[in-house]
Amino acid sequence: MTALTVSMIVRDAQTFLPACLESVKPFSPEIVIADTGSTDRSIAIAEEFGARVIRIPWNNDFAEARNRALAEARGEWILSLDADEQLDASTAASLPALLQDKKASGYQVCIRNYVTNMTERIWDQAAKVNDSLLPSAAKYPAFVEHQNVRLFRRKPEIYFVGRVHESVGPRIHELHGLLGRANFVIHHFGFAVDEATKARKNQLYREMGRQKIQEFPKDWQAFFELGLLELEQYKNLVEARALFSRACELNPSAGVAWFFLGLTIFRMGYFEDALNFLRQADHAGHRTALVAETSGDGHYNLGEFEEARSSYEAALKRGGGSAGVVAKLCLATIRSGKTEKGLTRLRNELCATPQVAELHEGLILALVYLNRIEDAAVAAEEKLAMIKGVLPGDYLRCGSLWAQVHNWQRASRALERGLLAHPGRPELARALDEVFAAMGRATEQTAYFK
């Protein structure tokens, strides 16, 4: 019997498929691919790599498609992959010991989802700086990790469940099987696709997510998954709130659901209610940095600056040591009356990491709040000098701050630099015209009083 079968479902994947199959070739004698209707070269590519291809209909059900592929496998173990995933060279050395473990029914595998910027999240997992040695991953600045059961024994009672976000994990749990943790990584590139592809995927997942909650009306995670899609991709706060509320009703111990309910309510502007739900997340054991940071944001918006400062400190202690949290902490410190303490920390952080935009932003906002407009204008100039890819609004604000203290020369210089960086922007051109007009009036007044 074959030790391992790589099992996949594929459709129009010719861009990613060769690299995926090349990465599994050293250790998998059997590759089974269920094609759900490709019109490109996917089938031909799979056959060139020696894969056994079956053609199946697509019924808007990922679990059904994966189980069709699973039924064709002959290996003792199954490694489930997608076409836009790859394994690295270290995997071949890791697999033998995992496959020889007679107690394990399957393994949670770490999946690195490569993204195009550090602001991306999966659930509430923040992006990490990309340290991968995989050549095809080198161009991405960051990745977000999540775990899924991808390596498991081939048994009739172990199969995929869930129309979307499908997994064999629930079946292994129901069978009281032992789940271990794999010591290899799956590299996933599907998040770093163009916007049109993302939109098509999101629409498909939305349709399937709605079907899933009809099929599993007591499954809290089905409601939670659809809530995430409505919140993050469609900005549909009302629908997201209803879905997260139902998830919390079905599973009151699901701290992550309480967190996203609180986050949704926060975005709707109901800060006190949001804080209550965020406390529920904490009570349920979901004591993450993002829960503390969002609590800080709620207190800040309510004018409770000392409580906000305490929450931001908690976020840093929980491992959310981002520059954005530090900037928020310093602002809350200043607004709670500890002006010099907050300013000193902000300036020290900027001296240590002058390339961090959030710290510049924090200093500008703090100085504006303190009505130190000329100092704020200088800080805005420093941001323009230190940060790459600043927006038209950054130049506009810098010019506006200098204009408020009637320093027309530095105001015009900032706006002219903005037009060089962003040619043709009408708001910058209008502001520059206004500065020149004000400069002319000031010159006329000076001449009149001589």
Side-chain angles (χ1 to χ4, degrees), residues 350-368:
L350 265 172
C351 285
T353 53
Q355 74 283 3
V356 177
E358 292 91 341
L359 295 173
H360 288 278
E361 193 67 20
L363 181 58
I364 296 165
L365 292 174
L367 292 168
V368 169

PDB file of all heavy atoms in Angstrom, residues 350-368:
ATOM      1  N   LEU A 350      10.248  57.329  18.260  1.00  0.00           N
ATOM      2  CA  LEU A 350      10.560  57.827  16.918  1.00  0.00           C
ATOM      3  C   LEU A 350      12.057  57.869  16.671  1.00  0.00           C
ATOM      4  O   LEU A 350      12.519  57.585  15.558  1.00  0.00           O
ATOM      5  CB  LEU A 350       9.962  59.223  16.720  1.00  0.00           C
ATOM      6  CG  LEU A 350       8.592  59.275  16.050  1.00  0.00           C
ATOM      7  CD1 LEU A 350       8.032  60.681  16.082  1.00  0.00           C
ATOM      8  CD2 LEU A 350       8.660  58.765  14.621  1.00  0.00           C
ATOM      9  N   CYS A 351      12.822  58.218  17.684  1.00  0.00           N
ATOM     10  CA  CYS A 351      14.286  58.211  17.526  1.00  0.00           C
ATOM     11  C   CYS A 351      14.791  56.802  17.246  1.00  0.00           C
ATOM     12  O   CYS A 351      15.711  56.607  16.447  1.00  0.00           O
ATOM     13  CB  CYS A 351      14.947  58.764  18.789  1.00  0.00           C
ATOM     14  SG  CYS A 351      14.823  60.556  18.955  1.00  0.00           S
ATOM     15  N   ALA A 352      14.171  55.806  17.895  1.00  0.00           N
ATOM     16  CA  ALA A 352      14.605  54.419  17.719  1.00  0.00           C
ATOM     17  C   ALA A 352      14.142  53.842  16.387  1.00  0.00           C
ATOM     18  O   ALA A 352      14.864  53.076  15.743  1.00  0.00           O
ATOM     19  CB  ALA A 352      14.082  53.564  18.871  1.00  0.00           C
ATOM     20  N   THR A 353      12.916  54.223  15.952  1.00  0.00           N
ATOM     21  CA  THR A 353      12.357  53.684  14.701  1.00  0.00           C
ATOM     22  C   THR A 353      11.729  54.808  13.883  1.00  0.00           C
ATOM     23  O   THR A 353      10.492  54.913  13.810  1.00  0.00           O
ATOM     24  CB  THR A 353      11.308  52.590  15.002  1.00  0.00           C
ATOM     25  OG1 THR A 353      10.332  53.124  15.930  1.00  0.00           O
ATOM     26  CG2 THR A 353      11.933  51.344  15.592  1.00  0.00           C
ATOM     27  N   PRO A 354      12.541  55.663  13.272  1.00  0.00           N
ATOM     28  CA  PRO A 354      12.003  56.833  12.558  1.00  0.00           C
ATOM     29  C   PRO A 354      11.250  56.493  11.287  1.00  0.00           C
ATOM     30  O   PRO A 354      10.593  57.349  10.710  1.00  0.00           O
ATOM     31  CB  PRO A 354      13.266  57.644  12.239  1.00  0.00           C
ATOM     32  CG  PRO A 354      14.371  56.640  12.216  1.00  0.00           C
ATOM     33  CD  PRO A 354      14.010  55.621  13.244  1.00  0.00           C
ATOM     34  N   GLN A 355      11.296  55.222  10.849  1.00  0.00           N
ATOM     35  CA  GLN A 355      10.638  54.822   9.612  1.00  0.00           C
ATOM     36  C   GLN A 355       9.205  54.353   9.832  1.00  0.00           C
ATOM     37  O   GLN A 355       8.527  53.951   8.878  1.00  0.00           O
ATOM     38  CB  GLN A 355      11.446  53.699   8.932  1.00  0.00           C
ATOM     39  CG  GLN A 355      11.352  52.334   9.589  1.00  0.00           C
ATOM     40  CD  GLN A 355      12.201  52.190  10.844  1.00  0.00           C
ATOM     41  OE1 GLN A 355      12.845  53.127  11.302  1.00  0.00           O
ATOM     42  NE2 GLN A 355      12.220  50.990  11.404  1.00  0.00           N
ATOM     43  N   VAL A 356       8.697  54.434  11.065  1.00  0.00           N
ATOM     44  CA  VAL A 356       7.365  53.910  11.385  1.00  0.00           C
ATOM     45  C   VAL A 356       6.330  55.029  11.295  1.00  0.00           C
ATOM     46  O   VAL A 356       6.346  55.978  12.085  1.00  0.00           O
ATOM     47  CB  VAL A 356       7.356  53.273  12.784  1.00  0.00           C
ATOM     48  CG1 VAL A 356       5.948  52.797  13.130  1.00  0.00           C
ATOM     49  CG2 VAL A 356       8.327  52.104  12.838  1.00  0.00           C
ATOM     50  N   ALA A 357       5.418  54.908  10.348  1.00  0.00           N
ATOM     51  CA  ALA A 357       4.452  55.978  10.078  1.00  0.00           C
ATOM     52  C   ALA A 357       3.514  56.233  11.251  1.00  0.00           C
ATOM     53  O   ALA A 357       3.155  57.378  11.532  1.00  0.00           O
ATOM     54  CB  ALA A 357       3.636  55.630   8.831  1.00  0.00           C
ATOM     55  N   GLU A 358       3.093  55.162  11.959  1.00  0.00           N
ATOM     56  CA  GLU A 358       2.136  55.332  13.046  1.00  0.00           C
ATOM     57  C   GLU A 358       2.679  56.234  14.151  1.00  0.00           C
ATOM     58  O   GLU A 358       1.922  56.987  14.781  1.00  0.00           O
ATOM     59  CB  GLU A 358       1.749  53.971  13.647  1.00  0.00           C
ATOM     60  CG  GLU A 358       0.946  53.100  12.729  1.00  0.00           C
ATOM     61  CD  GLU A 358       1.804  52.171  11.887  1.00  0.00           C
ATOM     62  OE1 GLU A 358       3.016  52.447  11.746  1.00  0.00           O
ATOM     63  OE2 GLU A 358       1.268  51.187  11.357  1.00  0.00           O
ATOM     64  N   LEU A 359       3.982  56.174  14.402  1.00  0.00           N
ATOM     65  CA  LEU A 359       4.566  57.007  15.447  1.00  0.00           C
ATOM     66  C   LEU A 359       4.593  58.472  15.036  1.00  0.00           C
ATOM     67  O   LEU A 359       4.305  59.362  15.847  1.00  0.00           O
ATOM     68  CB  LEU A 359       5.981  56.522  15.774  1.00  0.00           C
ATOM     69  CG  LEU A 359       6.058  55.117  16.381  1.00  0.00           C
ATOM     70  CD1 LEU A 359       7.505  54.664  16.516  1.00  0.00           C
ATOM     71  CD2 LEU A 359       5.357  55.071  17.737  1.00  0.00           C
ATOM     72  N   HIS A 360       4.908  58.743  13.782  1.00  0.00           N
ATOM     73  CA  HIS A 360       4.836  60.123  13.281  1.00  0.00           C
ATOM     74  C   HIS A 360       3.406  60.645  13.399  1.00  0.00           C
ATOM     75  O   HIS A 360       3.190  61.785  13.837  1.00  0.00           O
ATOM     76  CB  HIS A 360       5.285  60.172  11.817  1.00  0.00           C
ATOM     77  CG  HIS A 360       6.753  59.990  11.623  1.00  0.00           C
ATOM     78  ND1 HIS A 360       7.660  61.022  11.773  1.00  0.00           N
ATOM     79  CD2 HIS A 360       7.483  58.899  11.279  1.00  0.00           C
ATOM     80  CE1 HIS A 360       8.882  60.576  11.536  1.00  0.00           C
ATOM     81  NE2 HIS A 360       8.803  59.284  11.229  1.00  0.00           N
ATOM     82  N   GLU A 361       2.451  59.793  13.018  1.00  0.00           N
ATOM     83  CA  GLU A 361       1.050  60.200  13.074  1.00  0.00           C
ATOM     84  C   GLU A 361       0.638  60.522  14.510  1.00  0.00           C
ATOM     85  O   GLU A 361      -0.061  61.509  14.771  1.00  0.00           O
ATOM     86  CB  GLU A 361       0.170  59.088  12.497  1.00  0.00           C
ATOM     87  CG  GLU A 361      -1.247  59.487  12.208  1.00  0.00           C
ATOM     88  CD  GLU A 361      -1.381  60.500  11.098  1.00  0.00           C
ATOM     89  OE1 GLU A 361      -0.442  60.633  10.281  1.00  0.00           O
ATOM     90  OE2 GLU A 361      -2.423  61.180  11.061  1.00  0.00           O
ATOM     91  N   GLY A 362       1.067  59.675  15.445  1.00  0.00           N
ATOM     92  CA  GLY A 362       0.746  59.911  16.844  1.00  0.00           C
ATOM     93  C   GLY A 362       1.291  61.227  17.355  1.00  0.00           C
ATOM     94  O   GLY A 362       0.609  61.968  18.080  1.00  0.00           O
ATOM     95  N   LEU A 363       2.530  61.550  16.965  1.00  0.00           N
ATOM     96  CA  LEU A 363       3.141  62.797  17.419  1.00  0.00           C
ATOM     97  C   LEU A 363       2.416  64.006  16.838  1.00  0.00           C
ATOM     98  O   LEU A 363       2.151  64.994  17.542  1.00  0.00           O
ATOM     99  CB  LEU A 363       4.622  62.829  17.034  1.00  0.00           C
ATOM    100  CG  LEU A 363       5.397  64.079  17.473  1.00  0.00           C
ATOM    101  CD1 LEU A 363       5.327  64.254  18.986  1.00  0.00           C
ATOM    102  CD2 LEU A 363       6.842  64.009  16.998  1.00  0.00           C
ATOM    103  N   ILE A 364       2.066  63.946  15.565  1.00  0.00           N
ATOM    104  CA  ILE A 364       1.337  65.062  14.936  1.00  0.00           C
ATOM    105  C   ILE A 364       0.009  65.284  15.653  1.00  0.00           C
ATOM    106  O   ILE A 364      -0.336  66.418  16.019  1.00  0.00           O
ATOM    107  CB  ILE A 364       1.102  64.787  13.443  1.00  0.00           C
ATOM    108  CG1 ILE A 364       2.439  64.699  12.691  1.00  0.00           C
ATOM    109  CG2 ILE A 364       0.235  65.889  12.817  1.00  0.00           C
ATOM    110  CD1 ILE A 364       2.324  64.089  11.299  1.00  0.00           C
ATOM    111  N   LEU A 365      -0.744  64.223  15.864  1.00  0.00           N
ATOM    112  CA  LEU A 365      -2.051  64.343  16.515  1.00  0.00           C
ATOM    113  C   LEU A 365      -1.913  64.874  17.941  1.00  0.00           C
ATOM    114  O   LEU A 365      -2.724  65.696  18.394  1.00  0.00           O
ATOM    115  CB  LEU A 365      -2.755  62.986  16.532  1.00  0.00           C
ATOM    116  CG  LEU A 365      -3.208  62.447  15.171  1.00  0.00           C
ATOM    117  CD1 LEU A 365      -3.761  61.035  15.312  1.00  0.00           C
ATOM    118  CD2 LEU A 365      -4.245  63.352  14.531  1.00  0.00           C
ATOM    119  N   ALA A 366      -0.890  64.418  18.648  1.00  0.00           N
ATOM    120  CA  ALA A 366      -0.681  64.885  20.020  1.00  0.00           C
ATOM    121  C   ALA A 366      -0.395  66.377  20.044  1.00  0.00           C
ATOM    122  O   ALA A 366      -0.947  67.123  20.877  1.00  0.00           O
ATOM    123  CB  ALA A 366       0.463  64.109  20.662  1.00  0.00           C
ATOM    124  N   LEU A 367       0.448  66.841  19.149  1.00  0.00           N
ATOM    125  CA  LEU A 367       0.820  68.262  19.136  1.00  0.00           C
ATOM    126  C   LEU A 367      -0.351  69.138  18.698  1.00  0.00           C
ATOM    127  O   LEU A 367      -0.523  70.251  19.200  1.00  0.00           O
ATOM    128  CB  LEU A 367       2.028  68.466  18.229  1.00  0.00           C
ATOM    129  CG  LEU A 367       3.330  67.832  18.759  1.00  0.00           C
ATOM    130  CD1 LEU A 367       4.411  67.825  17.686  1.00  0.00           C
ATOM    131  CD2 LEU A 367       3.823  68.559  20.010  1.00  0.00           C
ATOM    132  N   VAL A 368      -1.160  68.646  17.786  1.00  0.00           N
ATOM    133  CA  VAL A 368      -2.363  69.395  17.400  1.00  0.00           C
ATOM    134  C   VAL A 368      -3.312  69.490  18.588  1.00  0.00           C
ATOM    135  O   VAL A 368      -3.878  70.558  18.874  1.00  0.00           O
ATOM    136  CB  VAL A 368      -3.055  68.732  16.189  1.00  0.00           C
ATOM    137  CG1 VAL A 368      -4.441  69.336  15.964  1.00  0.00           C
ATOM    138  CG2 VAL A 368      -2.198  68.901  14.930  1.00  0.00           C
TER     139      VAL A 368
END
